[in-house]
Amino acid sequence: MPHAPLITLNDGIQIPQLGLGVWQLDDDQAYASSVAALKAGYRHIDTAMIYGNEAGVGRAVAESELARDEIFITTKLWNTDQGYDSTLRAFDASMAKLGLEQLDLYLIHWALPKKNAYRETWKAFVRLQEEGRVRSIGVSNFHADHLQHIIDETGVTPSVNQIELHPDFAQVELAKFCKGLNIVTESWSPLGQGGALLSQPVLSQIAEKHGKSAAQVILRWHIQNQHVVIPRSSNPERIAQNLDVFDFVLDDQDLQAIAHIPQTGRLGPNPETFDMGA
Ligand code: A2P
């Protein structure tokens, strides 16, 4: 059974480099996908309050024969809950749904620069970590200036920045900036949401060469770029396939070819302007 390697974050906490994403799965689907993933060897599941499926993920963890400390769980604070006190309340609500005593990773879901509450929100995150209620704290969809502001305000650097990232939206500059601060980049929609990217001829060629699928080539590209990656699937075979990316290596020629895939841009919202629920 394949297992994802562990990456050590800047606070010493270890995160499995590949996990299951559950965005757009309802509670029952998230439960079923989480069960299939744990059975296939996954040890990391990434949910969020706004996905509405924290309870399904929590149920899968509770029913698993694995010890709690063998599974890494991430959830995210939704936009409406930003602010110091509201963050502390939202954390309790997420933990009740997950049914967990301690969370592995808590992320601010979006920066919401116009709301301008992410500094206060981050202070509450620091408190939650100090109290031991969450092992590691990070952010999602933050740009360089948002990252710098919360670090300046608290002296605490997020452990990860989870951003939209796939070979046709490679986010090279932001990932480099994060690396400079020892912040791990996590890729959301790593497969380009299963759309046009998967049928890029260059990926099929590389896939054929290695006896793998185009999706596996993309996931391997994330792994070799040292990103944490959280592909979503509700199909047990594809869930298993997506973890089976640790027995081959993309060579320089493969990486060069992938680097030449045209940059078509983001599929999701722009963090600078996104203000849903603000
Ligand atoms: P499905 O749930 O039917 O497997 P992303 O993680 O980039 O958001 O992509 C998720 C999408 O990609 C889902 O629609 C999912 O569909 C599809 N997908 C996930 N894994 C694979 C795979 N190995 N091959 C093809 N499509 C995949």
Side-chain angles (χ1 to χ4, degrees):
M1 186 155 64
H3 278 290
L6 299 172
I7 286 197
T8 302
L9 302 173
N10 60 19
D11 51 14
I13 300 298
Q14 292 190 309
I15 183 171
Q17 201 183 353
L18 190 147
L20 177 76
V22 295
W23 178 50
Q24 288 185 330
L25 303 183
D26 68 24
D27 206 59
D28 288 339
Q29 289 170 323
Y31 166 75
S33 292
S34 299
V35 169
L38 294 173
K39 201 169 148 205
Y42 286 64
R43 297 293 180 261
H44 169 185
I45 304 170
D46 179 287
T47 181
M49 183 277 181
I50 197 65
Y51 302 169
N53 56 25
E54 288 170 313
V57 170
R59 202 149 47 95
V61 173
E63 290 176 11
S64 163
E65 286 169 4
L66 294 162
R68 171 67 190 92
D69 65 4
E70 290 181 272
I71 310 173
F72 191 100
I73 299 293
T74 301
T75 195
K76 311 181 193 86
L77 176 91
W78 185 238
N79 299 348
T80 40
D81 295 319
Q82 279 209 27
Y84 191 87
D85 292 332
S86 44
T87 292
L88 299 177
R89 283 194 298 271
F91 179 79
D92 287 341
S94 278
M95 294 300 275
K97 283 190 212 135
L98 285 162
L100 299 178
E101 286 291 311
Q102 191 189 41
L103 185 67
D104 297 294
L105 178 62
Y106 200 30
L107 305 179
I108 302 179
H109 208 146
W110 293 87
L112 308 180
K114 273 194 265 170
K115 181 164 171 158
N116 197 18
Y118 60 88
R119 293 172 186 78
E120 288 308 303
T121 303
W122 186 243
K123 286 184 193 165
F125 270 52
V126 171
R127 172 170 163 182
L128 288 167
Q129 189 183 34
E130 281 169 357
E131 290 176 350
R133 306 203 58 205
V134 54
R135 296 170 68 226
S136 192
I137 52 175
V139 297
S140 183
N141 303 300
F142 270 45
H143 284 166
D145 57 332
H146 313 138
L147 289 164
Q148 203 57 63
H149 289 147
I150 59 172
I151 297 167
D152 291 347
E153 187 84 23
T154 61
V156 180
T157 303
S159 60
V160 311
N161 187 21
Q162 185 182 115
I163 55 175
E164 180 180 351
L165 196 160
H166 31 86
D168 52 357
F169 185 55
Q171 297 254 47
V172 175
E173 284 307 313
L174 185 52
K176 200 163 128 192
F177 179 82
C178 288
K179 197 170 182 183
L181 291 173
N182 202 11
I183 298 171
V184 166
T185 293
E186 268 194 79
S187 311
W188 64 257
S189 287
L191 299 171
Q193 298 176 6
L197 175 67
L198 276 178
S199 42
Q200 279 277 342
V202 66
L203 292 174
S204 333
Q205 284 155 21
I206 299 170
E208 200 177 334
K209 171 172 145 187
H210 292 283
K212 290 285 179 181
S213 70
Q216 288 172 313
V217 169
I218 297 172
L219 295 171
R220 184 71 209 176
W221 174 85
H222 288 278
I223 296 292
Q224 288 185 216
N225 278 308
Q226 296 168 337
H227 304 323
V228 171
V229 63
I230 46 164
R232 165 178 50 108
S233 179
S234 52
N235 174 303
E237 278 170 25
R238 286 193 284 278
I239 288 172
Q241 181 198 122
N242 292 345
L243 184 64
D244 188 15
V245 295
F246 300 103
D247 60 352
F248 76 111
V249 176
L250 300 172
D251 60 29
D252 287 346
Q253 198 187 351
D254 301 332
L255 295 171
Q256 279 294 327
I258 297 172
H260 281 97
I261 290 177
Q263 294 294 297
T264 48
R266 60 175 89 247
L267 300 166
N270 185 335
E272 213 57 61
T273 50
F274 184 65
D275 61 358
M276 186 194 278

